[in-house]
Amino acid sequence: MTGFAAVVLAGGAARRMGGVDKPDVPVGGVAMRDRVLAAVAGADPRVVVGPLADPPPGVLAVREEPPGAGPVAATAAGLAALAEAAGRTGPAAFAEPAGLVALLAGDLPLLTADAVDLLTWTVRAGGVDGALYVDATGRRQLLCGVWRTERLRAAVDRLAAQRGGGLVGASMRALFGGLSVAEVTWSGAGAAPWFDCDTDQDVRQAREWVR
């Protein structure tokens, strides 16, 4: 394992796109999910939470419980898979060397390794629990961030306790509410790395940008 892991949330129903397997939709001839995985090629392990019948080498595939329970439940499933991959239990499960985890949506076709590196550097240098990109209006991109793994796991446990043990339908804003977060702007070349594809028009726009 290296200094960071990655959890890619790829289980959404894509209702605004006719219920397709959205992360499997190609942009530039490559499934969006695979583009995200390429942006975190240096992570170990990499976990996809969602339907994935034939994971690429070095990628673990798990499902949230129950399937479709939402991004917080999917985050919990991904973190559990990281601990299992490390062969650790208890408080040591989320300690170094995989002290950071990139938590990413599976529909970010413009994400790059440089964009992930900037988030990782920000967390390591800033003494914060995590870092998220923000757009020009200051809106946080909740599924394009890097977190201290043990702090994110503690936040999941705390939210589950507040909700009587269940995470179905819980919001990411509630999950991050007690964490210290650095807000990062993107000034690199190209389109914003957090651009996600919620509609067919979004997919068409992404395809234009990657030509």
Side-chain angles (χ1 to χ4, degrees):
M1 297 177 73
T2 64
F4 84 108
V7 172
V8 178
L9 306 186
R15 292 179 180 87
R16 283 185 281 177
M17 295 175 61
V20 300
D21 179 7
K22 182 170 62 169
D24 201 42
V25 172
V27 170
V30 179
M32 290 192 284
R33 176 184 51 240
D34 293 340
R35 285 182 168 273
V36 176
L37 288 171
V40 290
D44 185 14
R46 294 178 293 168
V47 176
V48 171
V49 186
L52 184 59
D54 188 20
V59 175
L60 307 173
V62 299
R63 288 305 307 268
E64 70 276 25
E65 183 58 42
V72 177
T75 298
L79 291 173
L82 295 185
E84 184 176 354
R88 299 175 178 178
T89 59
F94 303 101
E96 293 288 351
L100 300 181
V101 57
L103 182 63
L104 306 162
D107 62 345
L108 306 176
L110 308 179
L111 188 69
T112 64
D114 285 346
V116 176
D117 286 346
L118 178 56
L119 292 169
T120 302
W121 178 86
T122 300
V123 178
R124 286 182 170 141
V128 292
D129 295 331
L132 290 171
Y133 278 111
V134 295
D135 64 18
T137 70
R139 181 184 178 187
R140 288 180 173 183
Q141 306 303 305
L142 299 178
L143 289 179
C144 192
V146 170
W147 303 90
R148 296 191 187 276
T149 316
E150 73 280 6
R151 296 294 297 150
L152 186 59
R153 175 71 260 182
V156 168
D157 291 344
R158 181 171 58 251
L159 184 58
Q162 291 170 356
R163 294 170 55 89
L167 293 171
V168 176
S171 76
M172 298 303 289
R173 287 183 178 84
L175 177 63
F176 299 150
L179 300 176
S180 60
V181 182
E183 297 182 343
V184 180
T185 57
W186 176 251
S187 58
W194 63 79
F195 181 83
D196 61 345
C197 292
D198 290 330
T199 66
D200 291 331
Q201 176 57 42
D202 293 337
V203 173
R204 288 192 290 270
Q205 179 64 76
R207 287 170 175 165
E208 286 293 323
W209 278 332
V210 301
R211 279 187 175 183

